[in-house]
Amino acid sequence: MSAQSGRIYRDSSFYTDLDSGELKTKYFLVLAAPPATDIVIRLLTSRYASLRPEDPPCHHGDPYPGFFLGIPGQVLKQKTWLDLRKLDDLDPWDFERDLTQGRISEVHTLPVDQFKAALACAASADDTTTRQERLIRDVLAGLG
């Protein structure tokens, strides 16, 4: 099984809490997963909801550029945004290993229309690299 664009995944050990040393969970959306190359993702967040716009859902300004996803459901039961700040791509080999070992699990699939809007927003974000933008726009074009 490989990463799928439009799917939200849970990584149970995404980062280490500096205060406690505990491994912490993060959720992310796969924006583009081309074969044999790095996977373009962005993290999801529900933090600072009072500072994040909801309408229109796409926001590129300060303090937090993001795309409002609403309340996606499943395990994501709070208002949620796609964080459009810079994030390194995932190595497909690491993703496959972590998925096979259960560290990463798929939790939700975005509706196509919402995913298309999120892709368009992410492609135009200031922190999206030229390579990421090209891959994201390729996915968007493939969705029609």
Side-chain angles (χ1 to χ4, degrees):
M1 177 187 255
S2 59
Q4 300 289 314
S5 297
R7 308 269 171 93
I8 294 173
Y9 294 88
R10 175 185 185 270
D11 184 334
S12 63
S13 304
F14 189 82
Y15 71 100
T16 304
D17 181 285
L18 296 178
D19 294 328
S20 68
E22 181 182 1
L23 292 173
K24 299 297 235 173
T25 297
K26 272 297 200 181
Y27 294 87
F28 62 89
L29 174 65
V30 172
L31 300 175
T37 188
D38 288 350
I39 302 163
V40 181
I41 68 166
R42 288 295 180 271
L43 296 178
L44 302 185
T45 187
S46 57
R47 295 189 69 191
Y48 308 113
S50 65
L51 300 175
R52 296 178 185 274
E54 297 176 18
D55 188 25
C58 184
H59 175 72
H60 290 135
D62 291 329
Y64 302 110
F67 182 85
F68 182 58
L69 296 170
I71 300 174
Q74 308 291 340
V75 295
L76 303 168
K77 298 177 190 277
Q78 298 178 13
K79 288 182 178 181
T80 301
W81 287 261
L82 184 65
D83 188 336
L84 298 178
R85 293 176 296 172
K86 180 181 180 341
L87 185 66
D88 291 337
D89 297 338
L90 293 181
D91 179 273
W93 185 87
D94 290 340
F95 180 91
E96 293 297 324
R97 180 199 63 218
D98 293 345
L99 192 62
T100 301
Q101 293 176 354
R103 172 182 157 173
I104 291 177
S105 57
E106 182 182 329
V107 296
H108 190 68
T109 301
L110 285 184
V112 173
D113 287 343
Q114 186 179 40
F115 182 50
K116 286 165 50 173
L119 286 170
C121 185
S124 299
D126 291 344
D127 286 349
T128 299
T129 67
T130 303
R131 177 190 170 278
Q132 290 172 338
E133 179 182 2
R134 186 183 77 251
L135 293 171
I136 291 167
R137 292 197 187 280
D138 286 350
V139 171
L140 187 57
L143 294 173

